[in-house]
Amino acid sequence: DAGVTQSPTHLIKTRGQQVTLRCSPKSGHDTVSWYQQALGQGPQFIFQYYEEEERQRGNFPDRFSGHQFPNYSSELNVNALLLGDSALYLCASSLPGFYGYTFGSGTRLTVV
Amino acid sequence: QQQVKQSPQSLIVQKGGISIINCAYENTAFDYFPWYQQFPGKGPALLIAIRPDVSEKKEGRFTISFNKSAKQFSLHIMDSQPGDSATYFCAASMRNSGYALNFGKGTSLLVTP
C-alpha cells in the first residue's frame, strides 16, 4: 500500500519564479495538509484541504496557494519565490474523522 | 509565536539507557498531542499520541507522560537503541483547527553503542 507520494523530490528555482509541488495522499485518506520545514526547524503548517476546499490556513502569505482535486490529490503553488522559501515541503494526509497524519518524504525546494 | 516549546535541543544517550524529551504548551484548547520521529531525508513518522484525558500512554519502548495542570508532556524511550538515533518532534493540535499540527523545534537524539 503506497503511502503519501510527493513530486518532485528536489527542485531548484530562481528568485521571483513560481513553483508547483504535487501530493498524492495515502489510499483512503481524504484530507491533505501542507507543511514547510526549514533546515533544523519543526514543520510549520501552511494549509489544509478537505472536499476540494481550503479549510484551515496557517500564517503564510497569499503567495502560497493550493488546490485539491476530486481524487484527493493536491498541489501547492508558491508565487514570486523568495530566498527564504527554501525549505522541505511536506504533505500529510489523514483518514476521514482524523486518526493521525501520514507524511510524505517531502520536496526539497532551493531558491537561488 | 512558538506554541509548543521543546527541550533539549540535542541529546546523547548510551545504548540501553532512557531518553527523555520534554514539551510545554500554553493553549488549553489543544486536545491531541503526538510525537513524531524523523530520519534524514524522510518525512516525520507518527510514533505515539495522547489525548488530555489520559496521563500516560505506552507503546512498546515508547511512553508519553502527560501533565494537564502543568501543560507539559514528555516522551520516554526505554532501552534506547542506535537505530533510535533521529530527530524527535512533539506537536499539539485541536479539533476546531482541523487538527493542524503545531510542532516543537525538535530534539536530535544520538544513541551511542
Side-chain angles (χ1 to χ4, degrees):
Chain A
D1 176 27
V4 177
T5 305
Q6 292 186 243
S7 64
T9 55
H10 295 84
L11 201 53
I12 300 175
K13 288 287 190 178
T14 302
R15 189 173 51 183
Q17 285 188 318
Q18 178 264 342
V19 68
T20 297
L21 310 181
R22 295 176 176 82
C23 172
S24 293
K26 187 174 181 178
S27 178
H29 288 194
D30 64 353
T31 301
V32 173
S33 301
W34 288 90
Y35 290 80
Q36 180 195 66
Q37 186 176 22
L39 202 61
Q41 300 294 316
Q44 297 289 314
F45 174 70
I46 302 174
F47 43 54
Q48 180 184 87
Y49 276 84
Y50 171 68
E51 292 186 336
E52 302 179 49
E53 290 189 8
E54 182 182 293
R55 299 289 183 169
Q56 301 287 339
R57 189 177 183 92
N59 189 24
F60 278 80
D62 292 344
R63 298 187 298 108
F64 290 77
S65 63
H67 189 78
Q68 186 179 35
F69 299 94
N71 67 353
Y72 307 124
S73 67
S74 177
E75 289 182 348
L76 163 65
N77 301 291
V78 187
N79 294 322
L81 284 166
L82 304 174
L83 296 179
D85 295 332
S86 295
L88 180 68
Y89 287 85
L90 295 162
C91 174
S93 68
S94 59
L95 283 166
F98 185 71
Y99 295 94
Y101 291 103
T102 299
F103 279 84
S105 291
T107 294
R108 172 70 63 188
L109 172 65
T110 302
V111 182
V112 297
Chain B
Q1 72 280 19
Q2 195 78 22
Q3 296 208 50
V4 179
K5 296 184 179 178
Q6 182 172 348
S7 62
Q9 186 176 356
S10 62
L11 184 61
I12 300 175
V13 174
Q14 281 195 325
K15 179 182 175 181
I18 303 173
S19 303
I20 302 174
I21 305 170
N22 300 298
C23 284
Y25 64 98
E26 285 299 322
N27 190 342
T28 55
F30 287 142
D31 60 5
Y32 176 71
F33 302 87
W35 283 89
Y36 283 84
Q37 178 190 57
Q38 186 175 29
F39 292 104
K42 298 292 186 183
L46 179 63
L47 264 181
I48 187 172
I50 198 168
R51 302 232 181 223
D53 53 344
V54 177
S55 62
E56 185 174 281
K57 183 174 181 180
K58 183 176 180 179
E59 289 184 1
R61 297 184 295 110
F62 301 93
T63 300
I64 298 179
S65 296
F66 188 83
N67 186 328
K68 189 174 180 178
S69 61
K71 292 184 284 186
Q72 295 175 347
F73 58 110
S74 60
L75 176 69
H76 291 63
I77 306 174
M78 312 301 287
D79 187 26
S80 298
Q81 299 296 312
D84 296 331
S85 297
T87 300
Y88 292 80
F89 294 95
C90 62
S93 64
M94 53 188 166
R95 182 186 176 97
N96 65 9
S97 69
Y99 290 110
L101 295 169
N102 297 274
F103 282 90
K105 290 190 173 183
T107 296
S108 178
L109 171 65
L110 176 64
V111 181
T112 58

